[in-house]
Amino acid sequence: MIFSRSAMEFQDFILIVPCCLGFISLCKTFIRFLKWVWVSFFRPAKNLNEYGSWALVTGSTDGIGKALAFELASKGINLVLVGRNPSKLEATSNEIRERFARKVDVKDIVIDLAKFSGEEISNMVEEGIKGLDVGILINNAGMGPPYPMFIHEIESEVLESFMRVNMDAATWVTRAVLPGMLQKKKGAIVNIGSGSSMAVPAFPLCTLYASTKAYLAMFSRCIGLEYEEHGIDVQCQVPLFVATKMIRGFNTASLFTPSPEMYSKASIRCIGYEHICTPYWLHSVQWLLIQRLPDALLNWYLFNLFLKMRKRRMEKYKVSSVNH
């Protein structure tokens, strides 16, 4: 009788334990969902003007950079635009002034980030922002491949440009603006990364792009910890595909591929919060779905997708290559 009662109690215990664990797991999932809803739709954006009256944006004449420049200007923040093309910089500056009825000041710095050394870039930026209260830095300048390529097909000059634009430039521009932020003990640095370096196990045939963007994520994490106590918020934003000219074939806006303007509105709302984030809510949904798929399947799909894109581009432009 006693043995039977003990056995029944043990069976009850065996049933209760997994039920409790399952309930705890369900609660954690529900809490994470509520947090995601709060962050994506209801969390108020920070007052960016509190960081400073000026923002510096690299890669500001096209795509995400240009859209972010307009979004910052709509908040009354003056702009320092960095780009390599003087005529495009002037056109963008004039467009911003006209749209916002000259309520914001705009200054241009012409730098070809692919050609100048890191120290030269830093010196030119320091000279360009002298006397300005730069509170926000957007490291957006980036270089993508003309089409999916094997790494041995990339010319050495282009390969060097990848490194300079995607990694060196962000590092040296950050170094140039940090002293001013440290002096006033506040600032925000945003590095535009890519889901190609984090959301998928590999990004074949766009290897350099994904690898250099992975550098930005770790760079952001590290300096975020280093300068947090000095009031400087550092963030790496990790979008998936955005409808820009960066990667041909994904330059048309759709449900999961927002326009630069749509992305920039989400981007602005996230500045000053997490070290790593995915601002556009449907990108985070897409990321969640991607993570549920086996790595082998994702690798197979992406490799074959980019092989087909590469073939189409090569046929169109009659590009010769070594057979693989």
Side-chain angles (χ1 to χ4, degrees), residues 263-282:
Y263 177 80
S264 67
K265 291 182 184 300
S267 170
I268 291 293
R269 292 183 64 252
C270 290
I271 293 177
Y273 287 106
E274 300 85 2
H275 287 318
I276 305 289
C277 70
T278 304
Y280 183 59
W281 73 276
L282 279 172

Side-chain angles (χ1 to χ4, degrees), residues 181-224:
M181 293 180 176
L182 286 169
Q183 188 174 7
K184 61 184 182 180
K185 295 189 180 299
K186 60 182 176 179
I189 298 172
V190 179
N191 299 311
I192 304 298
S194 169
S196 63
S197 66
M198 298 182 69
V200 291
F203 208 62
L205 303 182
C206 299
T207 302
L208 280 181
Y209 177 75
S211 301
T212 52
K213 289 296 184 178
Y215 166 81
L216 286 182
M218 181 55 74
F219 177 66
S220 301
R221 286 193 184 102
C222 293
I223 64 172

Side-chain angles (χ1 to χ4, degrees), residues 48-55 76-79 132-135 184:
L48 301 183
N49 293 277
E50 292 181 354
Y51 287 117
S53 56
W54 288 80
I77 298 173
N78 303 312
L79 297 170
L132 303 181
D133 179 22
V134 176
K184 61 184 182 180

Side-chain angles (χ1 to χ4, degrees), residues 58-59 112-116 121 139-145 154 158-174 190-194 196-197 206-220 236 246-247:
T58 67
D112 190 337
L113 299 175
K115 293 183 178 179
F116 287 97
I121 291 170
N139 278 315
N140 168 74
M143 182 176 177
I154 303 174
V158 175
L159 192 149
E160 185 66 29
S161 296
F162 260 103
M163 304 296 187
R164 286 185 173 179
V165 174
N166 291 4
M167 294 194 300
D168 294 357
T171 305
W172 285 94
V173 172
T174 300
V190 179
N191 299 311
I192 304 298
S194 169
S196 63
S197 66
C206 299
T207 302
L208 280 181
Y209 177 75
S211 301
T212 52
K213 289 296 184 178
Y215 166 81
L216 286 182
M218 181 55 74
F219 177 66
S220 301
C236 181
M246 181 65 71
I247 298 181

